[in-house]
Amino acid sequence: MPWKNQSGGPWGSGPKGPWGSGPQPVGPRPPDLEELLRRGQDRLQQLLPGGYFSGVGIALIALIIVAIWLFSGIFRVQSEELGIVLRFGKYVRDAQPGLNYHLPYPIETVLLPKALRVNTISIGMTLIDDPARRGRSIRDVPEESLMLTGDENIVDVDFTVLWRIKPNGAADFLFNIQNPEGTVKAVAESAMREVIGRSNIQPILTGARTTTEQAVQQLMQRTLDSYGSGIQITQVQMQKVDPPAQVIDSFRDVQAARADLERLQNEAQTYANRVVPDARGRAAKILQDAEGYKQQAIAEAKGQSARFLKVYEEYAKAKDVTRERIYLETMERILGGSEKLVFDGAAGHGIVPYLPLNELTPRRQPPATTGSAQQSSGVTK
């Protein structure tokens, strides 16, 4: 059956089509655009007495347009943003976070850079999406991370730079540099290469990370300030500092040997700290004992000399009496502890020339019988 025999076009008229039925409506029908426009025109005519082209209608329309134009100057600055107001393309002022107003376009425009947000740039590594792990993985970038040290070694350095816009540097940030992130990344890589090129590899791998980070941060800040970039470097963090992969095992062996050396040095220092004070203490004790003996000897010598002087003074006053007293005291001290036999010369004619005096002398008794011994020992006249 030809299409022309079907009334109403190729789909037929009414509910029928080439397969016997037309498309069935599903859901509510969309509103008619022409009908909406017509209703809007009718309402506008009701609001504007006298029609569109009357004087009051034109003034009212112009007033509405001006009001909309004036209200278009209201804008909002978010908490991490800073508004930069431009008048005919020239910077005029800053707008703080919150609701603000500028003269409508084209008189004034506003730019909203993320001035209060801390941005992060990684050098020597990049984050890539990893569908297998459902996250991101780190991929090394050797052309950025491999650097030459001052002692002609190669070190692999991955680091991160944290930066933000200076509090009063938003205008410089927007107008003095074209690609802020690219500029910061290039300056960071250049500064790190310069600092690494002035240092030896061993301090970089062990204990000089903090010093290196501070030196890179200061150098980056001076360079960016010379550009007038309005950027402030808040921190430089070295993520990984390793020798190249081809020689990393040898470097680890060297580090282990250095660690053993430091451990042995610390043990030796500990032993020295324990032994040296002990020896010093003994030496100080010997010196103090010698000083004490010295003072004692001097004091005894002074005492004896003073006693001698006192005795001499008494001797000078009465020489005979003092001489006799000294003689008696000396003989008492000498003979006081010895056995004595006293013979009277007048009655001693019967004494033979040889007399065993040691046999005549009674033997000394123990201290307990001292009294009886004294009684048995007599004086022969």
Side-chain angles (χ1 to χ4, degrees):
M1 180 183 298
W3 294 106
K4 63 181 180 179
N5 293 333
Q6 299 182 10
S7 60
W11 300 102
S13 63
K16 294 184 178 181
W19 291 278
S21 63
Q24 300 296 326
V26 179
R29 297 179 61 186
D32 190 358
L33 183 58
E34 295 181 357
E35 182 66 20
L36 291 177
L37 292 176
R38 185 179 60 79
R39 291 179 181 178
Q41 291 175 358
D42 294 341
R43 291 181 180 179
L44 186 58
Q45 288 179 0
Q46 294 176 1
L47 293 175
L48 298 177
Y52 292 111
F53 299 102
S54 63
V56 178
I58 294 174
L60 185 58
I61 293 174
L63 183 60
I64 293 174
I65 293 174
V66 171
I68 295 174
W69 181 70
L70 292 176
F71 276 106
S72 66
I74 299 176
F75 65 97
R76 183 181 184 86
V77 180
Q78 301 297 330
S79 59
E80 62 178 9
E81 296 176 342
L82 181 64
I84 304 299
V85 180
L86 308 178
R87 182 174 299 167
F88 298 113
K90 182 180 179 181
Y91 167 77
V92 289
R93 69 179 186 278
D94 295 339
Q96 300 301 321
L99 287 177
N100 294 271
Y101 182 81
H102 69 87
L103 296 178
Y105 181 84
I107 301 175
E108 290 183 351
T109 56
V110 63
L111 300 176
L112 300 174
K114 305 293 184 179
L116 304 180
R117 183 178 65 184
V118 178
N119 303 278
T120 303
I121 292 180
S122 299
I123 295 93
M125 57 184 177
T126 182
L127 297 177
I128 58 175
D129 295 330
D130 191 354
R133 299 182 180 179
R134 296 182 180 180
R136 290 186 173 185
S137 60
I138 299 176
R139 183 177 65 87
D140 194 16
V141 185
E143 57 271 17
E144 295 180 357
S145 60
L146 294 179
M147 302 180 185
L148 186 65
T149 63
D151 52 357
E152 298 181 357
N153 287 299
I154 297 177
V155 64
D156 189 359
V157 181
D158 295 346
F159 64 101
T160 303
V161 177
L162 305 180
W163 63 278
R164 53 167 294 181
I165 302 175
K166 288 184 176 181
N168 297 324
D172 295 336
F173 175 79
L174 292 174
F175 304 121
N176 290 348
I177 54 177
Q178 185 176 4
N179 184 7
E181 292 188 0
T183 302
V184 173
K185 185 172 184 179
V187 172
E189 183 178 351
S190 176
M192 181 62 74
R193 290 185 182 277
E194 180 176 347
V195 174
I196 294 295
R198 297 197 303 258
S199 306
N200 295 332
I201 187 171
Q202 193 59 42
I204 298 173
L205 296 177
T206 55
R209 288 198 175 189
T210 303
T211 305
T212 303
E213 291 173 352
Q214 294 177 354
V216 173
Q217 180 178 353
Q218 294 173 1
L219 182 57
M220 287 185 62
Q221 192 63 60
R222 290 197 302 268
T223 304
L224 292 173
D225 290 344
S226 66
Y227 295 164
S229 61
I231 294 176
Q232 179 181 356
I233 304 298
T234 59
Q235 191 176 6
V236 176
Q237 299 176 347
M238 300 178 71
Q239 304 295 335
K240 183 190 72 172
V241 183
D242 289 328
Q246 294 81 357
V247 295
I248 190 171
D249 294 335
S250 300
F251 269 89
R252 287 176 178 173
D253 293 340
V254 172
Q255 290 181 356
R258 291 182 181 273
D260 293 339
L261 175 62
E262 292 179 358
R263 179 178 58 82
L264 294 175
Q265 288 178 347
N266 293 334
E267 291 178 357
Q269 187 64 35
T270 302
Y271 176 75
N273 293 337
R274 184 178 66 252
V275 172
V276 172
D278 187 17
R280 290 176 178 174
R282 291 197 301 268
K285 180 177 180 300
I286 293 173
L287 292 176
Q288 290 178 357
D289 293 342
E291 184 66 23
Y293 174 75
K294 172 185 175 182
Q295 298 298 332
Q296 179 184 358
I298 293 175
E300 290 179 355
K302 288 182 178 180
Q304 292 177 1
S305 61
R307 178 177 176 276
F308 178 81
L309 292 176
K310 293 294 184 182
V311 173
Y312 179 75
E313 291 178 0
E314 297 298 328
Y315 171 76
K317 294 179 182 179
K319 295 183 179 181
D320 295 336
V321 176
T322 303
R323 187 183 298 110
E324 185 68 19
R325 182 174 62 81
I326 293 174
Y327 173 76
L328 294 176
E329 290 178 354
T330 303
M331 296 305 295
E332 181 182 2
R333 186 170 63 254
I334 295 174
L335 300 176
S338 62
E339 299 294 339
K340 295 174 286 296
L341 293 175
V342 180
F343 295 95
D344 189 359
H349 300 285
I351 298 176
V352 298
Y354 173 76
L355 184 64
L357 298 179
N358 56 348
E359 294 180 359
L360 295 176
T361 304
R363 299 186 180 276
R364 185 180 297 275
Q365 299 296 328
T369 59
T370 303
S372 60
Q374 291 178 354
Q375 293 177 1
S376 61
S377 60
V379 178
T380 303
K381 296 184 181 178

Short mmCIF file of all heavy atoms in Angstrom, two decimals, residues 31-54:
data_model
loop_
_atom_site.label_atom_id
_atom_site.label_comp_id
_atom_site.label_asym_id
_atom_site.label_seq_id
_atom_site.Cartn_x
_atom_site.Cartn_y
_atom_site.Cartn_z
N PRO A 31 4.81 21.32 28.23
CA PRO A 31 4.05 22.56 27.97
C PRO A 31 4.41 23.14 26.60
O PRO A 31 5.54 23.00 26.13
CB PRO A 31 4.48 23.48 29.11
CG PRO A 31 5.81 22.95 29.55
CD PRO A 31 5.74 21.48 29.33
N ASP A 32 3.46 23.81 26.04
CA ASP A 32 3.65 24.42 24.74
C ASP A 32 4.39 25.75 24.91
O ASP A 32 3.97 26.62 25.68
CB ASP A 32 2.29 24.65 24.07
CG ASP A 32 2.46 25.06 22.61
OD1 ASP A 32 3.62 25.19 22.16
OD2 ASP A 32 1.43 25.26 21.94
N LEU A 33 5.54 25.91 24.19
CA LEU A 33 6.36 27.12 24.32
C LEU A 33 5.62 28.35 23.82
O LEU A 33 5.69 29.42 24.43
CB LEU A 33 7.68 26.93 23.57
CG LEU A 33 8.68 28.08 23.68
CD1 LEU A 33 9.05 28.36 25.13
CD2 LEU A 33 9.93 27.78 22.86
N GLU A 34 4.94 28.20 22.74
CA GLU A 34 4.20 29.36 22.21
C GLU A 34 3.13 29.81 23.18
O GLU A 34 2.87 31.01 23.35
CB GLU A 34 3.59 28.99 20.86
CG GLU A 34 4.64 28.71 19.78
CD GLU A 34 3.99 28.38 18.44
OE1 GLU A 34 2.74 28.32 18.41
OE2 GLU A 34 4.73 28.19 17.46
N GLU A 35 2.48 28.84 23.83
CA GLU A 35 1.45 29.19 24.79
C GLU A 35 2.04 29.94 25.98
O GLU A 35 1.46 30.92 26.47
CB GLU A 35 0.75 27.91 25.27
CG GLU A 35 -0.39 28.14 26.26
CD GLU A 35 -1.57 28.89 25.62
OE1 GLU A 35 -1.67 28.89 24.37
OE2 GLU A 35 -2.36 29.48 26.37
N LEU A 36 3.23 29.51 26.42
CA LEU A 36 3.87 30.21 27.54
C LEU A 36 4.24 31.63 27.17
O LEU A 36 4.07 32.56 27.96
CB LEU A 36 5.12 29.43 27.99
CG LEU A 36 4.87 28.07 28.66
CD1 LEU A 36 6.20 27.40 28.98
CD2 LEU A 36 4.06 28.26 29.94
N LEU A 37 4.79 31.83 25.98
CA LEU A 37 5.15 33.18 25.53
C LEU A 37 3.92 34.06 25.44
O LEU A 37 3.95 35.24 25.79
CB LEU A 37 5.89 33.11 24.20
CG LEU A 37 7.30 32.47 24.24
CD1 LEU A 37 7.85 32.38 22.82
CD2 LEU A 37 8.22 33.29 25.11
N ARG A 38 2.86 33.48 24.95
CA ARG A 38 1.64 34.30 24.80
C ARG A 38 1.11 34.72 26.16
O ARG A 38 0.70 35.87 26.35
CB ARG A 38 0.59 33.49 24.04
CG ARG A 38 -0.68 34.29 23.70
CD ARG A 38 -1.65 33.42 22.94
NE ARG A 38 -2.03 32.24 23.73
CZ ARG A 38 -2.93 32.29 24.73
NH1 ARG A 38 -3.50 33.43 25.05
NH2 ARG A 38 -3.23 31.20 25.38
N ARG A 39 1.13 33.83 27.12
CA ARG A 39 0.64 34.17 28.45
C ARG A 39 1.54 35.23 29.11
O ARG A 39 1.06 36.14 29.78
CB ARG A 39 0.61 32.93 29.33
CG ARG A 39 -0.46 31.92 28.90
CD ARG A 39 -0.41 30.70 29.81
NE ARG A 39 -1.41 29.71 29.41
CZ ARG A 39 -1.56 28.53 30.00
NH1 ARG A 39 -0.76 28.20 31.02
NH2 ARG A 39 -2.49 27.69 29.59
N GLY A 40 2.88 35.12 28.91
CA GLY A 40 3.77 36.13 29.47
C GLY A 40 3.53 37.51 28.87
O GLY A 40 3.59 38.52 29.57
N GLN A 41 3.24 37.56 27.54
CA GLN A 41 2.96 38.86 26.92
C GLN A 41 1.67 39.46 27.47
O GLN A 41 1.58 40.67 27.70
CB GLN A 41 2.87 38.67 25.41
CG GLN A 41 4.22 38.34 24.76
CD GLN A 41 4.08 38.05 23.28
OE1 GLN A 41 2.96 38.06 22.74
NE2 GLN A 41 5.21 37.77 22.62
N ASP A 42 0.69 38.59 27.70
CA ASP A 42 -0.57 39.11 28.25
C ASP A 42 -0.37 39.69 29.64
O ASP A 42 -0.91 40.75 29.97
CB ASP A 42 -1.61 37.98 28.28
CG ASP A 42 -2.00 37.53 26.87
OD1 ASP A 42 -1.75 38.31 25.91
OD2 ASP A 42 -2.52 36.40 26.73
N ARG A 43 0.39 39.02 30.46
CA ARG A 43 0.60 39.53 31.82
C ARG A 43 1.41 40.82 31.79
O ARG A 43 1.17 41.73 32.58
CB ARG A 43 1.33 38.49 32.65
CG ARG A 43 0.47 37.26 32.96
CD ARG A 43 1.22 36.26 33.81
NE ARG A 43 0.39 35.09 34.11
CZ ARG A 43 0.81 34.05 34.81
NH1 ARG A 43 2.05 34.04 35.30
NH2 ARG A 43 -0.01 33.03 35.04
N LEU A 44 2.38 40.90 30.88
CA LEU A 44 3.17 42.13 30.78
C LEU A 44 2.30 43.29 30.32
O LEU A 44 2.46 44.43 30.78
CB LEU A 44 4.34 41.92 29.82
CG LEU A 44 5.36 43.07 29.72
CD1 LEU A 44 5.97 43.37 31.08
CD2 LEU A 44 6.44 42.73 28.71
N GLN A 45 1.38 43.03 29.43
CA GLN A 45 0.47 44.09 28.99
C GLN A 45 -0.42 44.56 30.13
O GLN A 45 -0.74 45.75 30.24
CB GLN A 45 -0.40 43.58 27.83
CG GLN A 45 0.37 43.42 26.53
CD GLN A 45 -0.52 42.90 25.42
OE1 GLN A 45 -1.71 42.65 25.63
NE2 GLN A 45 0.05 42.74 24.22
N GLN A 46 -0.80 43.60 31.02
CA GLN A 46 -1.61 44.01 32.15
C GLN A 46 -0.82 44.87 33.13
O GLN A 46 -1.36 45.77 33.76
CB GLN A 46 -2.15 42.76 32.87
CG GLN A 46 -3.13 41.96 32.03
CD GLN A 46 -3.56 40.68 32.73
OE1 GLN A 46 -3.14 40.40 33.85
NE2 GLN A 46 -4.42 39.90 32.06
N LEU A 47 0.48 44.56 33.28
CA LEU A 47 1.30 45.34 34.21
C LEU A 47 1.64 46.71 33.65
O LEU A 47 1.88 47.65 34.41
CB LEU A 47 2.59 44.59 34.54
CG LEU A 47 2.41 43.29 35.35
CD1 LEU A 47 3.75 42.58 35.51
CD2 LEU A 47 1.80 43.59 36.71
N LEU A 48 1.75 46.84 32.32
CA LEU A 48 2.12 48.09 31.69
C LEU A 48 0.87 48.71 31.09
O LEU A 48 0.44 48.35 29.99
CB LEU A 48 3.16 47.86 30.60
CG LEU A 48 4.51 47.26 31.08
CD1 LEU A 48 5.42 47.02 29.89
CD2 LEU A 48 5.17 48.17 32.08
N PRO A 49 0.27 49.64 31.80
CA PRO A 49 -0.92 50.29 31.23
C PRO A 49 -0.56 51.14 30.02
O PRO A 49 0.47 51.79 29.98
CB PRO A 49 -1.44 51.14 32.38
CG PRO A 49 -0.25 51.37 33.26
CD PRO A 49 0.59 50.14 33.13
N GLY A 50 -1.36 51.05 29.03
CA GLY A 50 -1.13 51.84 27.82
C GLY A 50 -0.32 51.09 26.78
O GLY A 50 0.02 51.67 25.75
N GLY A 51 0.08 49.81 27.08
CA GLY A 51 0.80 49.04 26.07
C GLY A 51 2.31 49.14 26.25
O GLY A 51 2.83 49.79 27.14
N TYR A 52 3.03 48.43 25.33
CA TYR A 52 4.49 48.36 25.43
C TYR A 52 5.15 49.70 25.16
O TYR A 52 6.12 50.06 25.81
CB TYR A 52 5.04 47.34 24.41
CG TYR A 52 4.66 45.91 24.73
CD1 TYR A 52 3.77 45.23 23.92
CD2 TYR A 52 5.20 45.27 25.84
CE1 TYR A 52 3.44 43.92 24.20
CE2 TYR A 52 4.87 43.96 26.12
CZ TYR A 52 3.98 43.28 25.30
OH TYR A 52 3.64 42.00 25.57
N PHE A 53 4.68 50.40 24.21
CA PHE A 53 5.41 51.56 23.68
C PHE A 53 4.92 52.88 24.25
O PHE A 53 5.21 53.92 23.71
CB PHE A 53 5.31 51.58 22.16
CG PHE A 53 5.91 50.35 21.52
CD1 PHE A 53 5.07 49.35 21.08
CD2 PHE A 53 7.28 50.20 21.41
CE1 PHE A 53 5.60 48.20 20.51
CE2 PHE A 53 7.80 49.06 20.83
CZ PHE A 53 6.97 48.05 20.38
N SER A 54 4.21 52.82 25.33
CA SER A 54 3.82 54.07 25.98
C SER A 54 5.00 54.59 26.79
O SER A 54 5.95 53.87 27.10
CB SER A 54 2.60 53.84 26.88
OG SER A 54 2.94 52.94 27.92
#
